[in-house]
Protein backbone atom coordinates (compact mmCIF):
# COMPACT_ATOMS: atom_id res chain seq x y z
CA UNK A 1 0.00 0.00 0.00
CA UNK A 2 1.42 3.35 -0.94
CA UNK A 3 0.42 6.78 0.29
CA UNK A 4 -2.37 7.38 -2.27
CA UNK A 5 -3.94 4.01 -1.54
CA UNK A 6 -3.71 4.85 2.14
CA UNK A 7 -5.60 8.08 1.55
CA UNK A 8 -8.33 6.27 -0.40
CA UNK A 9 -8.61 3.61 2.24
CA UNK A 10 -8.76 6.16 5.04
CA UNK A 11 -11.46 8.22 3.29
CA UNK A 12 -13.55 5.12 2.69
CA UNK A 13 -13.28 3.64 6.16
CA UNK A 14 -13.09 6.82 8.25
CA UNK A 15 -14.75 9.67 6.30
CA UNK A 16 -14.44 12.01 9.27
CA UNK A 17 -10.65 11.68 9.27
CA UNK A 18 -10.37 12.38 5.54
CA UNK A 19 -10.31 16.22 5.70
CA UNK A 20 -7.65 16.03 8.43
CA UNK A 21 -5.32 14.03 6.21
CA UNK A 22 -2.67 15.58 3.98
CA UNK A 23 0.45 14.43 2.17
CA UNK A 24 3.70 16.26 2.76
CA UNK A 25 7.00 15.17 1.24
CA UNK A 26 5.58 11.74 0.46
CA UNK A 27 4.45 11.00 3.96
CA UNK A 28 0.94 11.17 5.36
CA UNK A 29 0.11 13.78 7.98
CA UNK A 30 -2.95 13.37 10.13
CA UNK A 31 -3.85 16.22 12.50
CA UNK A 32 -6.45 15.13 15.00
CA UNK A 33 -7.81 16.74 18.13
CA UNK A 34 -7.02 15.54 21.60
CA UNK A 35 -10.10 13.38 22.08
CA UNK A 36 -9.57 11.46 18.84
CA UNK A 37 -5.83 10.85 19.27
CA UNK A 38 -5.92 7.41 20.82
CA UNK A 39 -8.62 6.04 18.50
CA UNK A 40 -6.91 7.41 15.41
CA UNK A 41 -3.63 5.88 16.53
CA UNK A 42 -5.35 2.55 17.13
CA UNK A 43 -6.88 2.70 13.64
CA UNK A 44 -3.51 3.43 12.09
CA UNK A 45 -2.01 0.52 13.96
CA UNK A 46 -4.78 -1.69 12.58
CA UNK A 47 -3.88 -0.46 9.09
CA UNK A 48 -0.34 -1.75 9.54
CA UNK A 49 1.68 1.06 11.10
CA UNK A 50 3.34 -1.26 13.54
CA UNK A 51 6.32 0.84 14.59
CA UNK A 52 6.39 4.06 16.57
CA UNK A 53 9.67 5.67 15.66
CA UNK A 54 9.58 8.98 17.47
CA UNK A 55 7.51 11.13 19.79
CA UNK A 56 8.23 14.82 19.98
CA UNK A 57 6.47 18.15 20.39
CA UNK A 58 6.53 21.63 18.90
CA UNK A 59 5.97 24.85 20.82
CA UNK A 60 3.49 26.90 18.75
CA UNK A 61 3.08 29.69 21.31
CA UNK A 62 -0.62 29.30 22.11
CA UNK A 63 -0.53 25.55 21.99
CA UNK A 64 1.78 22.58 21.80
CA UNK A 65 1.75 20.14 18.92
CA UNK A 66 2.47 16.53 19.71
CA UNK A 67 4.08 14.65 16.82
CA UNK A 68 4.12 10.89 16.52
CA UNK A 69 6.14 9.34 13.73
CA UNK A 70 4.74 6.01 12.55
CA UNK A 71 6.32 3.64 10.07
CA UNK A 72 5.34 0.31 8.68
CA UNK A 73 7.21 -2.77 7.63
CA UNK A 74 4.50 -3.72 5.14
CA UNK A 75 3.85 -0.35 3.50
CA UNK A 76 6.18 1.94 1.66
CA UNK A 77 5.04 5.11 3.40
CA UNK A 78 5.33 6.71 6.80
CA UNK A 79 2.87 8.74 8.83
CA UNK A 80 2.98 11.75 11.10
CA UNK A 81 0.19 11.71 13.63
CA UNK A 82 -0.21 15.16 15.14
CA UNK A 83 -2.31 16.53 17.94
CA UNK A 84 -2.59 20.05 19.33
CA UNK A 85 -2.93 20.56 23.06
CA UNK A 86 -3.57 23.95 24.71
CA UNK A 87 -0.73 25.62 26.57
CA UNK A 88 -2.76 26.30 29.70
CA UNK A 89 -3.65 22.65 30.17
CA UNK A 90 -1.09 20.56 28.28
CA UNK A 91 -2.46 17.08 28.60
CA UNK A 92 -2.09 14.44 25.92
CA UNK A 93 -3.15 10.83 25.73
CA UNK A 94 -0.46 8.23 26.19
CA UNK A 95 0.03 5.74 23.37
CA UNK A 96 1.95 3.27 25.54
CA UNK A 97 -0.88 0.69 25.41
CA UNK A 98 -0.49 0.61 21.61
CA UNK A 99 3.28 0.95 21.21
CA UNK A 100 5.46 0.28 24.29
CA UNK A 101 8.19 2.26 22.53
CA UNK A 102 6.36 5.41 23.64
CA UNK A 103 7.31 4.76 27.25
CA UNK A 104 10.60 6.67 27.34
CA UNK A 105 9.78 9.01 24.46
CA UNK A 106 6.74 10.39 26.23
CA UNK A 107 8.78 10.79 29.38
CA UNK A 108 11.23 12.89 27.38
CA UNK A 109 8.43 15.08 26.00
CA UNK A 110 7.09 15.45 29.54
CA UNK A 111 10.57 16.33 30.75
CA UNK A 112 11.38 18.99 28.18
CA UNK A 113 7.92 20.39 27.31
CA UNK A 114 5.85 19.65 30.40
CA UNK A 115 3.09 17.88 28.52
CA UNK A 116 1.39 15.29 30.69
CA UNK A 117 0.24 12.02 29.16
CA UNK A 118 -2.91 10.45 30.57
CA UNK A 119 -2.52 6.72 30.96
CA UNK A 120 1.28 6.72 31.08
CA UNK A 121 2.40 4.17 33.70
CA UNK A 122 5.59 5.94 34.86
CA UNK A 123 5.54 9.63 34.00
CA UNK A 124 8.62 11.29 35.51
CA UNK A 125 11.67 13.15 34.24
CA UNK A 126 14.12 11.12 32.16
CA UNK A 127 16.97 13.44 31.09
CA UNK A 128 17.05 16.30 33.56
CA UNK A 129 17.61 15.89 37.29
CA UNK A 130 14.52 15.14 39.34
CA UNK A 131 14.62 18.51 41.12
CA UNK A 132 14.81 20.62 37.95
CA UNK A 133 12.52 23.64 37.75
CA UNK A 134 10.57 24.18 34.54
CA UNK A 135 10.63 22.62 31.10
CA UNK A 136 13.54 23.99 29.04
CA UNK A 137 12.39 23.38 25.47
CA UNK A 138 9.43 25.71 25.94
CA UNK A 139 10.10 28.97 24.17
CA UNK A 140 9.39 31.05 27.26
CA UNK A 141 11.82 29.10 29.42
CA UNK A 142 14.54 31.08 31.18
CA UNK A 143 16.74 30.59 34.18
CA UNK A 144 19.49 32.56 35.89
CA UNK A 145 22.37 30.60 34.37
CA UNK A 146 21.36 31.01 30.73
CA UNK A 147 23.14 33.64 28.65
CA UNK A 148 20.92 35.09 25.95
CA UNK A 149 22.38 35.28 22.46
CA UNK A 150 22.92 38.94 21.56
CA UNK A 151 21.28 40.37 18.45
CA UNK A 152 24.47 40.83 16.45
CA UNK A 153 25.29 37.11 16.29
CA UNK B 1 73.72 7.51 27.44
CA UNK B 2 71.06 9.87 26.21
CA UNK B 3 69.40 9.96 29.61
CA UNK B 4 72.66 10.76 31.41
CA UNK B 5 73.41 13.48 28.89
CA UNK B 6 70.00 15.04 29.35
CA UNK B 7 70.27 15.03 33.12
CA UNK B 8 73.68 16.63 32.81
CA UNK B 9 72.30 19.29 30.49
CA UNK B 10 69.45 19.93 32.88
CA UNK B 11 71.87 20.30 35.78
CA UNK B 12 73.90 22.84 33.86
CA UNK B 13 70.87 25.03 33.18
CA UNK B 14 69.03 24.96 36.46
CA UNK B 15 69.97 26.87 39.59
CA UNK B 16 69.36 25.52 43.08
CA UNK B 17 70.46 22.61 45.19
CA UNK B 18 72.26 20.10 43.03
CA UNK B 19 70.69 16.98 44.53
CA UNK B 20 67.15 18.34 44.39
CA UNK B 21 67.45 19.47 40.81
CA UNK B 22 68.89 16.12 39.79
CA UNK B 23 66.01 14.29 41.39
CA UNK B 24 63.58 16.79 39.88
CA UNK B 25 65.03 16.22 36.44
CA UNK B 26 64.60 12.46 36.73
CA UNK B 27 61.13 12.71 38.22
CA UNK B 28 59.91 15.23 35.65
CA UNK B 29 61.44 13.22 32.87
CA UNK B 30 59.62 10.11 34.07
CA UNK B 31 56.31 11.86 34.69
CA UNK B 32 56.31 13.77 31.44
CA UNK B 33 56.96 10.69 29.35
CA UNK B 34 54.42 8.33 30.84
CA UNK B 35 51.29 10.46 30.90
CA UNK B 36 48.60 7.85 31.04
CA UNK B 37 45.34 9.46 30.12
CA UNK B 38 41.85 9.21 31.50
CA UNK B 39 39.71 9.54 28.35
CA UNK B 40 36.74 11.59 29.52
CA UNK B 41 35.04 11.46 26.13
CA UNK B 42 31.49 12.75 26.36
CA UNK B 43 30.79 13.96 22.82
CA UNK B 44 32.16 14.05 19.28
CA UNK B 45 35.70 15.11 20.31
CA UNK B 46 36.04 11.58 21.69
CA UNK B 47 36.21 10.34 18.09
CA UNK B 48 39.41 12.32 17.56
CA UNK B 49 40.65 11.14 20.93
CA UNK B 50 40.10 7.54 19.85
CA UNK B 51 41.75 8.19 16.50
CA UNK B 52 44.77 9.63 18.30
CA UNK B 53 45.26 6.35 20.13
CA UNK B 54 45.28 4.15 17.06
CA UNK B 55 47.87 3.30 14.47
CA UNK B 56 47.99 6.44 12.37
CA UNK B 57 48.74 8.86 15.21
CA UNK B 58 49.87 6.30 17.77
CA UNK B 59 49.95 8.09 21.10
CA UNK B 60 51.69 5.18 22.71
CA UNK B 61 54.98 6.44 21.32
CA UNK B 62 54.59 9.59 23.46
CA UNK B 63 53.92 7.41 26.46
CA UNK B 64 50.26 8.44 26.50
CA UNK B 65 48.07 5.47 26.91
CA UNK B 66 44.31 5.52 27.63
CA UNK B 67 43.23 3.74 30.78
CA UNK B 68 39.54 3.49 31.69
CA UNK B 69 40.32 3.50 35.40
CA UNK B 70 40.99 6.91 36.99
CA UNK B 71 43.22 5.33 39.63
CA UNK B 72 45.78 4.36 37.00
CA UNK B 73 45.98 7.70 35.21
CA UNK B 74 47.88 10.98 35.34
CA UNK B 75 46.07 13.28 32.93
CA UNK B 76 42.36 13.65 32.34
CA UNK B 77 41.49 14.52 28.74
CA UNK B 78 38.06 16.13 28.84
CA UNK B 79 36.89 15.62 25.26
CA UNK B 80 33.38 16.87 24.72
CA UNK B 81 30.44 18.80 26.07
CA UNK B 82 29.99 18.62 29.82
CA UNK B 83 26.43 19.09 30.99
CA UNK B 84 25.43 20.17 34.45
CA UNK B 85 24.18 16.67 35.08
CA UNK B 86 27.51 15.17 34.02
CA UNK B 87 29.76 17.64 35.86
CA UNK B 88 29.56 15.99 39.32
CA UNK B 89 30.56 12.66 37.77
CA UNK B 90 33.54 14.24 36.00
CA UNK B 91 34.61 15.95 39.21
CA UNK B 92 34.33 12.72 41.12
CA UNK B 93 36.44 10.86 38.55
CA UNK B 94 39.04 13.62 38.75
CA UNK B 95 39.13 13.31 42.52
CA UNK B 96 39.76 9.57 42.18
CA UNK B 97 42.94 10.16 40.18
CA UNK B 98 46.14 9.97 42.22
CA UNK B 99 48.41 13.01 42.53
CA UNK B 100 50.17 14.41 40.57
CA UNK B 101 47.43 14.93 38.03
CA UNK B 102 46.75 17.24 35.12
CA UNK B 103 43.78 18.17 32.94
CA UNK B 104 43.63 18.79 29.20
CA UNK B 105 40.47 20.55 27.99
CA UNK B 106 40.01 19.29 24.44
CA UNK B 107 37.70 21.11 22.06
CA UNK B 108 35.64 24.27 22.23
CA UNK B 109 32.95 22.75 24.43
CA UNK B 110 35.42 21.78 27.13
CA UNK B 111 37.20 25.12 26.82
CA UNK B 112 34.23 27.49 26.95
CA UNK B 113 30.98 25.72 26.18
CA UNK B 114 31.58 26.26 22.44
CA UNK B 115 28.43 26.46 20.35
CA UNK B 116 26.39 25.85 23.50
CA UNK B 117 27.59 29.06 25.15
CA UNK B 118 24.40 30.99 24.42
CA UNK B 119 20.81 29.95 25.09
CA UNK B 120 21.72 26.66 26.68
CA UNK B 121 20.04 25.48 29.83
CA UNK B 122 22.24 22.49 30.55
CA UNK B 123 25.82 22.96 29.32
CA UNK B 124 28.70 23.91 31.61
CA UNK B 125 30.60 26.82 30.01
CA UNK B 126 34.05 25.36 30.13
CA UNK B 127 35.36 22.54 32.23
CA UNK B 128 37.54 25.04 34.12
CA UNK B 129 34.46 26.01 36.11
CA UNK B 130 35.12 23.01 38.31
CA UNK B 131 38.50 21.51 37.29
CA UNK B 132 42.01 23.06 37.23
CA UNK B 133 42.81 22.92 33.52
CA UNK B 134 46.48 22.89 32.45
CA UNK B 135 46.26 22.84 28.66
CA UNK B 136 43.46 24.10 26.44
CA UNK B 137 43.03 22.91 22.86
CA UNK B 138 40.56 24.72 20.64
CA UNK B 139 38.84 23.22 17.64
CA UNK B 140 35.49 21.71 16.89
CA UNK B 141 36.81 19.05 17.09
CA UNK B 142 40.60 19.49 17.23
CA UNK B 143 42.74 17.26 15.07
CA UNK B 144 44.73 14.49 16.78
CA UNK B 145 47.86 16.53 16.05
CA UNK B 146 46.52 19.22 18.37
CA UNK B 147 46.13 16.68 21.12
CA UNK B 148 49.65 15.52 20.43
CA UNK B 149 50.83 19.11 20.77
CA UNK B 150 48.91 19.41 24.02
CA UNK B 151 50.76 16.40 25.42
CA UNK B 152 54.08 17.93 24.41
CA UNK B 153 53.10 21.26 26.00
CA UNK B 154 52.05 19.46 29.13
CA UNK B 155 55.44 17.79 29.14
CA UNK B 156 57.03 21.27 29.05
CA UNK B 157 54.82 22.29 31.96
CA UNK B 158 55.75 19.22 33.96
CA UNK B 159 59.42 19.93 33.35
CA UNK B 160 59.07 23.13 35.41
CA UNK B 161 57.66 21.31 38.41
CA UNK B 162 59.68 20.34 41.45
CA UNK B 163 59.10 17.75 44.12
CA UNK B 164 59.84 20.48 46.65
CA UNK B 165 56.55 22.09 47.62
CA UNK B 166 55.93 25.51 46.16
CA UNK B 167 59.03 25.48 43.96
CA UNK B 168 58.76 25.96 40.23
CA UNK B 169 61.84 25.96 38.05
CA UNK B 170 62.52 28.26 35.12
CA UNK B 171 62.52 26.84 31.64
CA UNK B 172 63.92 28.18 28.43
CA UNK B 173 61.01 28.93 26.12
CA UNK B 174 61.14 27.94 22.50
CA UNK B 175 59.34 31.07 21.34
CA UNK B 176 60.52 34.56 22.29
CA UNK B 177 58.41 36.42 24.80
CA UNK B 178 57.24 39.98 24.30
CA UNK B 179 60.15 41.28 26.40
CA UNK B 180 62.71 39.78 24.02
CA UNK B 181 61.54 41.80 21.03
CA UNK B 182 61.30 45.53 20.74
CA UNK B 183 57.97 46.73 19.49
CA UNK B 184 57.58 46.94 15.73
CA UNK B 185 60.67 44.96 14.81
CA UNK B 186 60.41 41.42 13.68
CA UNK B 187 63.43 39.13 13.44
CA UNK B 188 64.34 38.00 9.97
CA UNK B 189 62.81 40.98 8.18
CA UNK B 190 65.38 42.88 6.14
CA UNK B 191 64.94 46.62 6.03
CA UNK B 192 64.74 47.63 2.36
CA UNK B 193 66.31 51.04 2.98
CA UNK B 194 69.60 49.54 4.03
CA UNK B 195 69.92 47.09 1.14
CA UNK B 196 70.56 49.84 -1.47
Amino acid sequence: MNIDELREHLCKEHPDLCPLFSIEFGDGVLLVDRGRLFDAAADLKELGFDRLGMVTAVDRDEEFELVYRLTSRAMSCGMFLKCRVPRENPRGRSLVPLWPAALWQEREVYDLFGIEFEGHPDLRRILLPEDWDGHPLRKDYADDRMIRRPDYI
Amino acid sequence: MALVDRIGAALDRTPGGIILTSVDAVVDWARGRSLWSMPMGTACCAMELIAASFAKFDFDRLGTFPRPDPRHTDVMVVAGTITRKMAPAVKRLYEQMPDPKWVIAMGNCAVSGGIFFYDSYSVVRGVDEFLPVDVYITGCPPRPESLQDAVLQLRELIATESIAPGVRRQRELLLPTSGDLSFGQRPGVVDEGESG
Side-chain angles (χ1 to χ4, degrees):
Chain A
M1 186 186 282
N2 65 21
I3 193 74
D4 294 318
E5 290 163 350
L6 176 70
R7 182 208 283 268
E8 283 174 21
H9 181 84
L10 204 68
C11 289
K12 199 167 64 185
E13 298 288 321
H14 308 282
D16 50 333
L17 288 182
C18 193
L20 307 172
F21 186 81
S22 62
I23 297 175
E24 288 174 19
F25 299 107
D27 280 342
V29 178
L30 186 61
L31 179 64
V32 296
D33 59 355
R34 186 160 48 161
R36 293 290 312 270
L37 176 67
F38 191 85
D39 294 335
D43 290 344
L44 287 171
K45 192 184 178 188
E46 286 286 313
L47 272 174
F49 287 100
D50 48 6
R51 181 171 178 271
L52 177 69
M54 179 188 76
V55 182
T56 186
V58 183
D59 187 347
R60 294 197 182 278
D61 293 336
E62 297 87 17
E63 51 195 358
F64 294 115
E65 188 175 274
L66 286 169
V67 182
Y68 295 84
R69 167 72 179 165
L70 306 174
T71 51
S72 167
R73 284 175 295 179
M75 291 183 277
S76 61
C77 54
M79 273 292 298
F80 287 101
L81 180 62
K82 295 185 180 180
C83 171
R84 300 255 170 106
V85 294
R87 196 185 190 91
E88 296 79 42
N89 181 25
R91 297 180 74 82
R93 178 73 172 84
S94 174
L95 300 190
V96 173
L98 297 173
W99 294 282
L103 200 64
W104 280 14
Q105 299 263 310
E106 287 178 348
R107 278 178 65 187
E108 186 180 346
V109 172
Y110 165 71
D111 193 357
L112 301 176
F113 284 95
I115 300 170
E116 294 185 12
F117 291 90
E118 289 166 11
H120 194 286
D122 183 28
L123 196 64
R124 56 195 167 90
R125 289 189 185 274
I126 186 170
L127 292 174
L128 296 173
E130 293 281 333
D131 55 350
W132 193 280
D133 236 7
H135 302 284
L137 284 195
R138 289 186 177 191
K139 283 185 179 170
D140 57 357
Y141 177 85
D143 67 23
D144 302 338
R145 286 165 288 204
M146 280 174 81
I147 298 176
R148 279 288 167 205
R149 183 185 299 274
D151 294 336
Y152 52 83
I153 294 181
Chain B
M1 274 308 283
L3 169 61
V4 178
D5 288 343
R6 280 162 185 258
I7 292 173
L11 283 177
D12 285 341
R13 279 204 304 273
T14 49
I18 189 154
I19 295 175
L20 187 63
T21 49
S22 314
V23 174
D24 278 347
V26 175
V27 167
D28 291 344
W29 174 84
R31 282 177 180 167
R33 279 155 182 78
S34 65
L35 287 167
W36 287 16
S37 71
M38 165 82 207
M40 194 66 239
T42 52
C44 33
C45 281
M47 292 296 123
E48 301 294 314
L49 184 63
I50 293 162
S53 298
F54 287 138
K56 192 167 182 182
F57 298 99
D58 191 17
F59 259 32
D60 217 348
R61 70 202 154 92
L62 298 175
T64 300
F65 182 70
R67 294 289 297 174
D69 187 347
R71 293 173 206 282
H72 296 171
T73 54
D74 307 296
V75 53
M76 176 182 262
V77 183
V78 184
T81 318
I82 302 295
T83 57
R84 288 197 342 234
K85 197 177 182 183
M86 188 68 191
V90 177
K91 187 165 171 52
R92 185 166 179 186
L93 285 168
Y94 176 77
E95 284 164 355
Q96 287 177 0
M97 288 163 61
D99 279 324
K101 52 192 172 184
W102 298 275
V103 177
I104 295 175
M106 177 181 182
N108 287 352
C109 291
V111 170
S112 69
I115 58 169
F116 305 108
F117 188 86
Y118 292 120
D119 292 349
S120 173
Y121 58 90
S122 61
V123 173
V124 175
R125 292 181 190 84
V127 75
D128 54 3
E129 287 194 1
F130 59 96
L131 290 185
V133 179
D134 294 294
V135 183
Y136 296 86
I137 324 171
T138 57
C140 189
R143 298 266 313 160
E145 290 93 329
S146 301
L147 190 58
Q148 199 168 341
D149 183 51
V151 171
L152 295 176
Q153 286 193 39
L154 190 58
R155 203 183 265 184
E156 291 288 313
L157 179 78
I158 290 167
T160 66
E161 291 182 353
S162 171
I163 53 172
V167 175
R168 196 165 271 276
R169 293 192 282 121
Q170 293 291 317
R171 285 281 293 178
E172 292 173 17
L173 294 172
L174 292 175
L175 294 174
T177 60
S178 58
D180 298 338
L181 296 173
S182 59
F183 183 73
Q185 281 185 336
R186 279 182 297 164
V189 178
V190 179
D191 193 359
E192 289 179 2
E194 292 175 2
S195 61

